[in-house]
Amino acid sequence: MKSKLRALWNHPAGPKTIHFWAPTFKWGLSIANISDFSKPPETLSYPLPTNRD
């Protein structure tokens, strides 16, 4: 088991690289967006306007 974890850790696309984390965060955002489908529209937050006078 230890050798499998070490192999994963040292893999060129393992958890020490962006190649691992970028898809992980992308799927996390997708799951968060899907969970918003079950919420009523009144509880969803909208983006803030970029122009504040």
Side-chain angles (χ1 to χ4, degrees):
M1 181 68 155
K2 203 172 197 180
S3 63
K4 288 184 180 184
L5 288 175
R6 186 177 308 268
L8 173 67
W9 184 256
N10 292 324
H11 191 273
K16 295 190 289 184
T17 66
I18 192 68
H19 301 291
F20 176 84
W21 290 109
T24 303
F25 284 116
K26 184 178 178 182
W27 277 104
L29 289 173
S30 297
I31 291 168
N33 289 333
I34 290 170
S35 70
D36 283 345
F37 286 132
S38 63
K39 294 181 181 178
E42 297 81 26
T43 61
L44 299 177
S45 61
Y46 298 99
L48 292 174
T50 56
N51 185 8
R52 293 189 180 202
D53 293 330

